[in-house]
């Protein structure tokens, strides 16, 4: 992810995290149709003590739907619905008696608070650290109360991104990523443990500790093979993610050629996730700039801006802006001037 520019890894929130789908009796919840679910939720909001598993399941499904939209939609477009949903969940959680319904609401609160942290941070172009951290702390607390160790680990991991790439506090970010890896191991999630270890590697890379960085990356590489489809965080770890973070680590360690090779192959494989790909391309452009390959850097940056015009991703915008700033020695050349104009137009629309 973005180390040189202070961005953060924009992983799509874990849509299934904390989703139980059970009734108070432990059986499967029969999903209501959309009109039925909306009507039931309206009734429950007016009569909160009547909250049941059907209403809780509807809120969970709404959270999952929002989470799945994260990597393609502008965060500002998702914030109103996500904010309304977390308001419903926290309100009902105060009314529900102890038991399966309350734990379902707490698990959904953890997911939504994690999503809100992502959305707020992304929409603010990674500037509003305090609000994002507040939501992640809310997610950690809710997950802990629900006994959702994987969800707690994920919230801690996302909190580490703010420390690593927003506040530029690698020691704090490294500690949080290590805590997330330990919790993920306790929960038996190879996917989340591997992802956390990748960010442990990033923390070491930011500190210039190559040996420790490569050791963490090496351990992380074994986790995709150990993953099972039942892993609640299964969608969070892939070989594309490995390549993305490995590339950013070598970029931070000053090995631009190696970083560029890894990032280029990763970008070729990645399809459909606009926010993530914009970040990869921004880092790839930085690698080209550091090797004084201005033409190639410009080509990659135009591709990244194309994606940002659709996704409005704050992390991608940050790293692309950093790469364009690195082109200042060539600022009088048409290739750099064209990029400055496109970036200015993009930021003005944001």
């Amino acid at each position: 992810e973005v180390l040189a520019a202070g961005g953060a890894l924009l992983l799509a929130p874990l849509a299934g995290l904390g989703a139980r789908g059970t009734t108070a009796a432990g059986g499967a919840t029969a999903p209501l149709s959309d009109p039925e679910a909306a009507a039931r939720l309206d009734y429950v909001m007016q009569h909160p003590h009547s909250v049941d598993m059907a209403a809780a399941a509807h809120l969970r499904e709404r959270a999952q739907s929002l989470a799945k939209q994260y990597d393609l939609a502008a965060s500002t477009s998702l914030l109103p619905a996500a904010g309304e949903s977390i308001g419903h969940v926290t309100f009902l959680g105060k009314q529900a008696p102890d038991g399966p319904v309350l734990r379902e609401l707490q698990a959904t609160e953890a997911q939504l608070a994690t999503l809100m942290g992502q959305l707020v941070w992304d929409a603010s172009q990674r500037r509003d650290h305090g609000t994002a951290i507040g939501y992640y702390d809310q997610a950690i607390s809710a997950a802990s109360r629900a006994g959702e160790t994987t969800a707690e680990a994920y919230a801690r991991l996302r909190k580490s991104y703010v420390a690593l790439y927003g506040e530029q506090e690698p020691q704090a970010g490294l500690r949080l990523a290590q805590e997330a890896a330990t919790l993920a191991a306790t929960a038996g999630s190879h996917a989340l443990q591997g992802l956390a270890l990748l960010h442990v590697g990033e923390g070491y890379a930011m500190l210039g500790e190559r040996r420790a960085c490569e050791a963490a990356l090496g351990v992380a590489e074994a986790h995709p093979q150990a993953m099972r489809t039942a892993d609640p965080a299964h969608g969070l770890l892939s070989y594309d993610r490995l390549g993305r973070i490995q590339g950013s680590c070598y970029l931070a360690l000053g090995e631009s050629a190696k970083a560029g090779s890894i990032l280029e192959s990763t970008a070729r494989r990645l399809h459909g996730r606009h926010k993530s790909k914009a970040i990869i391309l921004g880092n790839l452009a930085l690698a080209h700039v550091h090797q004084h390959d201005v033409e190639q850097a410009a080509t990659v940056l135009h591709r990244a801006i194309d994606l940002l015009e659709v996704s409005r991703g704050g992390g991608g915008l940050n790293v692309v802006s950093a790469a364009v700033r690195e082109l200042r020695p060539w600022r009088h050349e048409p290739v750099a001037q064209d990029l400055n104009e496109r970036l200015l137009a993009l930021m003005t629309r944001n």
Side-chain angles (χ1 to χ4, degrees):
E1 241 334 319
V2 186
L3 292 171
L9 179 62
L10 277 184
L11 295 173
L14 187 56
L17 205 58
R20 302 169 189 268
T22 57
T23 64
T29 299
L32 300 174
S33 66
D34 285 346
E36 289 176 325
R40 175 62 185 162
L41 182 60
D42 286 342
Y43 177 84
V44 167
M45 291 302 296
Q46 296 175 38
H47 306 86
H49 291 293
S50 69
V51 61
D52 57 8
M53 189 60 78
H58 173 62
L59 287 166
R60 183 191 68 241
E61 290 165 4
R62 181 184 292 182
Q64 292 171 355
S65 175
L66 288 166
K68 290 175 182 177
Q69 298 175 56
Y70 173 79
D71 206 36
L72 294 176
S75 293
T76 51
S77 71
L78 299 177
L79 272 168
E84 179 184 54
S85 293
I86 197 170
H88 288 162
V89 168
T90 53
F91 171 71
L92 293 175
K94 294 175 182 177
Q95 310 298 322
D98 191 24
V101 172
L102 176 58
R103 288 194 294 275
E104 181 76 358
L105 290 168
Q106 290 167 336
T108 304
E109 179 186 353
Q111 183 184 353
L112 282 167
T114 302
L115 176 60
M116 284 295 295
Q118 284 185 267
L119 293 173
V120 167
W121 205 40
D122 189 48
S124 70
Q125 297 178 21
R126 310 306 172 81
R127 295 190 181 99
D128 190 352
H129 308 326
T131 303
I133 289 172
Y135 277 118
Y136 293 143
D137 284 339
Q138 179 181 351
I140 290 167
S141 175
S144 177
R145 285 181 275 119
E148 294 286 347
T149 307
T150 308
E152 181 182 351
Y154 187 53
R156 287 186 185 277
L157 182 59
R158 296 221 57 101
K159 189 174 176 180
S160 79
Y161 302 165
V162 179
L164 286 170
Y165 317 122
E167 297 172 329
Q168 297 295 306
E169 294 287 347
Q171 290 284 8
L174 176 60
R175 174 180 53 78
L176 285 164
Q178 288 171 328
E179 289 175 0
T182 301
L183 276 174
T186 301
S189 173
H190 284 284
L192 190 52
Q193 188 180 2
L195 181 61
L197 288 169
L198 288 175
H199 290 286
V200 169
E202 282 193 298
Y204 283 124
M206 292 180 74
L207 294 168
E209 298 183 25
R210 174 174 177 148
R211 182 174 296 180
C213 169
E214 291 185 328
L217 294 179
V219 176
E221 285 177 352
H223 284 280
Q225 296 178 350
M227 282 193 307
R228 299 291 181 268
T229 54
D231 190 323
H234 186 272
L236 286 179
L237 186 62
S238 67
Y239 288 103
D240 291 340
R241 296 187 194 279
L242 283 169
R244 176 171 55 193
I245 300 174
Q246 287 170 340
S248 68
C249 285
Y250 285 111
L251 187 62
L253 290 168
E255 298 189 27
S256 299
K258 187 169 185 176
S261 176
I262 295 171
L263 291 166
E264 186 170 7
S265 63
T266 303
R268 283 199 301 266
R269 293 193 304 265
L270 188 62
H271 302 286
R273 295 173 54 209
H274 296 339
K275 291 181 181 178
S276 299
K277 191 162 185 176
I279 293 171
I280 293 171
L281 293 175
N283 272 327
L284 178 57
L286 279 169
H288 287 310
V289 173
H290 294 168
Q291 297 173 81
H292 303 287
D293 189 347
V294 177
E295 292 292 336
Q296 191 59 36
T299 298
V300 172
L301 283 169
H302 279 296
R303 291 167 58 198
I305 292 173
D306 289 343
L307 295 175
L308 289 171
E309 287 174 342
V310 176
S311 71
R312 299 287 195 254
L317 183 58
N318 282 353
V319 70
V320 165
S321 298
V324 171
R325 286 195 299 271
E326 293 279 341
L327 290 173
R328 282 174 182 166
W330 299 274
R331 62 186 175 277
H332 298 302
E333 296 186 17
V335 66
Q337 292 174 351
D338 288 346
L339 281 167
N340 272 306
E341 289 174 6
R342 282 201 73 189
L343 182 61
L344 180 60
L346 177 66
M347 295 179 73
T348 301
R349 287 197 297 273
N350 273 355

